[in-house]
Amino acid sequence: MSARRVFRALTPLAYLLSATVAWAQTGTITGKVTESRNAQPVGGARVQALSATSVVAASQSRVDGSYRLVVPAGTYTVVVNRIGYRPGNTNNVVVTA
C-alpha cells in the first residue's frame, strides 16, 4: 500500500479522534431557577454562561425551572434574567473536563 493511500485512509480517523478530544474538554452547568420567596420554579428564564464579557452558552429554563449549559472547561459567571424578576448571577462557577 502506498504512503498516499495510507494517508487517505488515516485522515478520516484523525478527524474523528480530534473531534472526540475536543468534545471531551467540555463540561455541563446544570441548575434550577426558583423564586427566592417560595422556591417555586421559574420557567422561561434566560440563563447565560459568561466568560469575561462574552456569552459562551445560553439556554432557557424549562417549566420546572431546570436548565443545562454545555461549555468548555473554565470559570464562568452564570446570569439569569426573566421579565418580572430581578436579574441574578452566580460568580466563579468552575467547570472541569
Side-chain angles (χ1 to χ4, degrees):
M1 189 180 271
S2 74
R4 184 170 276 178
R5 283 189 177 170
V6 170
F7 178 75
R8 284 186 186 160
L10 292 178
T11 300
L13 179 62
Y15 285 123
L16 178 63
L17 290 175
S18 65
T20 302
V21 169
W23 188 66
Q25 295 175 353
T26 62
T28 305
I29 300 172
T30 59
K32 188 171 185 177
V33 181
T34 59
E35 292 186 23
S36 59
R37 286 188 242 170
N38 57 16
Q40 291 297 310
V42 177
R46 181 151 178 87
V47 183
Q48 298 175 315
L50 304 177
S51 178
T53 58
S54 300
V55 176
V56 177
S59 183
Q60 194 171 31
S61 63
R62 296 179 178 198
V63 174
D64 66 355
S66 65
Y67 65 88
R68 180 176 186 258
L69 302 169
V70 177
V71 295
T75 302
Y76 299 95
T77 297
V78 178
V79 178
V80 179
N81 292 294
R82 175 76 163 103
I83 295 174
Y85 294 89
R86 275 186 268 138
N89 64 29
T90 303
N91 298 315
N92 299 315
V93 177
V94 178
V95 176
T96 57

